[in-house]
C-alpha cells in the first residue's frame, strides 16, 4: 500500500476510531476506578493508589484529548474550545493530564523497582503515604510546568479555531520551553522506564539464580516455590503496563523528537501526516489499555469484574423470586 493510500485510509478510519476509543476508554477506566476503590484486588495500598491515580488520569486524557478535542472536532461541535481562550485552557489541561499520566507510570515503575531490587528501602518507600505524596507532587509540578501554554495561541478579532503565536516557533524563550516540555514528556520518562526495567530484569535474573542455588532447585522445581510465584506476578504486572506504554508511545516520541530537531512544524508532507496521525492514535490508545492488562494479569481483579457483570442479573433473579 502506498503512503498516499494509507493517508486516505487514516482519514476515513480516524472518526470511527476516536468514537470507539472514547466509549471504550471512558467505560474501561471507570470500571478500573470503581474496582480499585473497593480494595479487593489483593494489592498493597501503595500500589492501589498508583493504579487508581493512573486510571483517573487516563480517564481525563480520554475526556479532554479524545471526546473534547477529537470527537468534538469530528462531529460534536462546541464553539468554546475553538476560540482562543478555550484553545489556551484546553491546551493547558490537556498537556497537564498527559504529563501526569506519563509521570505516574514512571512513579509506579520506580516504586516496583524499589520493591523488587531494594528490600531495605522498600520498608520506608513503598507505603501508602509515600504513594499519596508522590502522586500529589507529580500532579502539582505537571500543572506548574504547563501554565505558560495558556499563552500559546494568539487572539484575533474573529478567530475561530486555534492559531499558534509566531513567537512560539521562533522566540528563543519559547523554543527553550518547548524543548523542556518535550524532554519532560515523553522523552525522559521513556528513557527512565527503559532503565528501571533493565535494572529490575537484571536484579530478578541474579536473585533467581541465587535462590535456585540456595534451595538446590532444578529448573523444573520452581513451580512449587511460592516466593518465585509472587515475584513472577509482580513483574508481569509491571512489565505489561510499562511495555504497552513504551510500544504505544514509541511512534509519538520519535515524531516529536524529529519535529523539534528539524524545526518542521508546518511541513505537512504525506509521511509527516501519516506518522503524526498514527502516533497520536497509538498514544491515546495507551490511556485505555491498563484495565485490560489488569483483567489478564490479576486474578482477583478479573473476579471483581465478573462479579460486577453478574450483579445486575443477580438482582433481577432475586426480584423475580
Amino acid at each position: 500500500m502506498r503512503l498516499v493510500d494509507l493517508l486516505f485510509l487514516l482519514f476515513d478510519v480516524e472518526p470511527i476510531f476516536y468514537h470507539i476509543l472514547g466509549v471504550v476508554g471512558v467505560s474501561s477506566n471507570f470500571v478500573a476506578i470503581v474496582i480499585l476503590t473497593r480494595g479487593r484486588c489483593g494489592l498493597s495500598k501503595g500500589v492501589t493508589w498508583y493504579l487508581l491515580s493512573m486510571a483517573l488520569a487516563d480517564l481525563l486524557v480520554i475526556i479532554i484529548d479524545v471526546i473534547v478535542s477529537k470527537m468534538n472536532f469530528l462531529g460534536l461541535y462546541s464553539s468554546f474550545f475553538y476560540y482562543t481562550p478555550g484553545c489556551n485552557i484546553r491546551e493547558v489541561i490537556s498537556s497537564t493530564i498527559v504529563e501526569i499520566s506519563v509521570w505516574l507510570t514512571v512513579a509506579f515503575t520506580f516504586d516496583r523497582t524499589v520493591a523488587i531490587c531494594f528490600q531495605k528501602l522498600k520498608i520506608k518507600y513503598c507505603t501508602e503515604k509515600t504513594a499519596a505524596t508522590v502522586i500529589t507532587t507529580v500532579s502539582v509540578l505537571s500543572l506548574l510546568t504547563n501554565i505558560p501554554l495558556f499563552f500559546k495561541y494568539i487572539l484575533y478579532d474573529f478567530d475561530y479555531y486555534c492559531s499558534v503565536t509566531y513567537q512560539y516557533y521562533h522566540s528563543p524563550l519559547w523554543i527553550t520551553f518547548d524543548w523542556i516540555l518535550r524532554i519532560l514528556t515523553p522523552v525522559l520518562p521513556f528513557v527512565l522506564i527503559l532503565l528501571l526495567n533493565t535494572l529490575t530484569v537484571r536484579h530478578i535474573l541474579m536473585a533467581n539464580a541465587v535462590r535456585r542455588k540456595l534451595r538446590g532447585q532444578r529448573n523444573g522445581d520452581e513451580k512449587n516455590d511460592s516466593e518465585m510465584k509472587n515475584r513472577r506476578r509482580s513483574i508481569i504486572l509491571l512489565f505489561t503496563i510499562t511495555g504497552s506504554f513504551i510500544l504505544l508511545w514509541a511512534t509519538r516520541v520519535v515524531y516529536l523528537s524529529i519535529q523539534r530537531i528539524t524545526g518542521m512544524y508546518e511541513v505537512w508532507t504525506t509521511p509527516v501526516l501519516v506518522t503524526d496521525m498514527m502516533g497520536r492514535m497509538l498514544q491515546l490508545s495507551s490511556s485505555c489499555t491498563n484495565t485490560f492488562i489488569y483483567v489478564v494479569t490479576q486474578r482477583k481483579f478479573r473476579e471483581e469484574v465478573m462479579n460486577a457483570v453478574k450483579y445486575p442479573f443477580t438482582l433481577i433473579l432475586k426480584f423475580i423470586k
Side-chain angles (χ1 to χ4, degrees):
M1 179 183 291
R2 297 179 304 170
L3 276 177
V4 175
D5 296 331
L6 178 59
L7 179 61
F8 283 115
L9 178 62
L10 287 173
F11 279 127
D12 292 334
V13 170
E14 191 180 46
I16 302 171
F17 173 82
Y18 282 123
H19 280 74
I20 295 174
L21 184 62
V23 174
V24 174
V26 169
S27 56
S28 62
N29 283 300
F30 180 76
V31 168
I33 290 169
V34 171
I35 291 176
L36 291 169
T37 302
R38 291 163 62 89
R40 298 178 182 177
C41 297
L43 301 170
S44 68
K45 291 184 178 180
V47 171
T48 301
W49 268 91
Y50 282 117
L51 298 184
L52 187 58
S53 60
M54 288 162 63
L56 181 58
D58 287 341
L59 176 61
L60 293 175
V61 170
I62 293 294
I63 292 172
I64 299 299
D65 280 0
V66 177
I67 296 176
V68 173
S69 298
K70 293 297 181 182
M71 291 172 63
N72 190 22
F73 177 70
L74 296 168
L76 303 176
Y77 294 102
S78 175
S79 60
F80 173 75
F81 288 108
Y82 289 94
Y83 284 98
T84 301
C87 291
N88 288 325
I89 292 172
R90 175 166 55 85
E91 185 73 16
V92 173
I93 296 174
S94 172
S95 186
T96 298
I97 58 177
V98 169
E99 190 167 318
I100 291 172
S101 176
V102 170
W103 278 99
L104 285 177
T105 305
V106 177
F108 170 73
T109 307
F110 181 76
D111 179 88
R112 293 298 84 201
T113 300
V114 171
I116 294 170
C117 302
F118 306 99
Q119 294 301 311
K120 292 182 179 179
L121 181 59
K122 172 186 176 181
I123 299 173
K124 294 182 178 180
Y125 184 82
C126 300
T127 63
E128 184 180 6
K129 183 179 179 181
T130 301
T133 302
V134 170
I135 292 165
T136 303
T137 303
V138 166
S139 301
V140 172
L141 291 179
S142 297
L143 176 60
L144 292 176
T145 55
N146 286 284
I147 285 177
L149 288 175
F150 186 77
F151 306 99
K152 178 178 179 178
Y153 296 102
I154 193 170
L155 178 63
Y156 292 115
D157 291 336
F158 299 98
D159 187 20
Y160 185 76
Y161 202 61
C162 307
S163 299
V164 180
T165 60
Y166 175 84
Q167 288 79 6
Y168 187 81
Y169 291 143
H170 300 91
S171 167
L173 186 62
W174 273 113
I175 291 174
T176 303
F177 174 74
D178 188 58
W179 263 114
I180 293 172
L181 280 189
R182 289 173 190 252
I183 291 172
L184 286 176
T185 307
V187 176
L188 183 57
F190 205 80
V191 174
L192 287 176
I193 288 174
L194 286 173
L195 290 175
L196 289 170
N197 280 349
T198 301
L199 177 63
T200 303
V201 169
R202 179 175 176 275
H203 176 85
I204 289 170
L205 292 175
M206 293 176 62
N208 287 351
V210 171
R211 188 172 180 82
R212 279 195 296 267
K213 288 180 181 179
L214 290 175
R215 290 174 60 92
Q217 290 182 328
R218 298 177 180 176
N219 291 336
D221 297 330
E222 292 179 6
K223 296 179 180 179
N224 300 320
D225 190 344
S226 60
E227 177 66 23
M228 296 282 277
K229 289 180 180 178
N230 292 334
R231 188 177 297 169
R232 190 177 298 113
R233 281 195 294 266
S234 180
I235 62 177
I236 286 173
L237 177 62
L238 171 63
F239 289 163
T240 49
I241 290 176
T242 56
S244 68
F245 171 82
I246 289 171
L247 289 173
L248 294 173
W249 269 86
T251 304
R252 191 71 180 156
V253 170
V254 173
Y255 171 78
L256 291 175
S257 301
I258 293 175
Q259 186 188 54
R260 179 70 269 182
I261 292 170
T262 59
M264 294 190 302
Y265 292 101
E266 298 179 348
V267 179
W268 298 110
T269 60
T270 299
V272 171
L273 280 170
V274 169
T275 306
D276 180 40
M277 293 174 71
M278 292 187 66
R280 195 174 295 275
M281 291 165 73
L282 290 171
Q283 176 232 313
L284 291 174
S285 298
S286 69
S287 294
C288 66
T289 56
N290 285 352
T291 301
F292 300 102
I293 289 172
Y294 305 153
V295 169
V296 173
T297 63
Q298 301 296 302
R299 179 179 58 82
K300 290 186 177 181
F301 187 93
R302 187 163 56 247
E303 290 173 355
E304 287 295 308
V305 172
M306 292 304 298
N307 290 336
V309 172
K310 293 176 183 177
Y311 184 71
F313 300 100
T314 305
L315 284 180
I316 294 171
L317 289 174
K318 286 182 178 180
F319 180 77
I320 293 173
K321 290 180 181 179

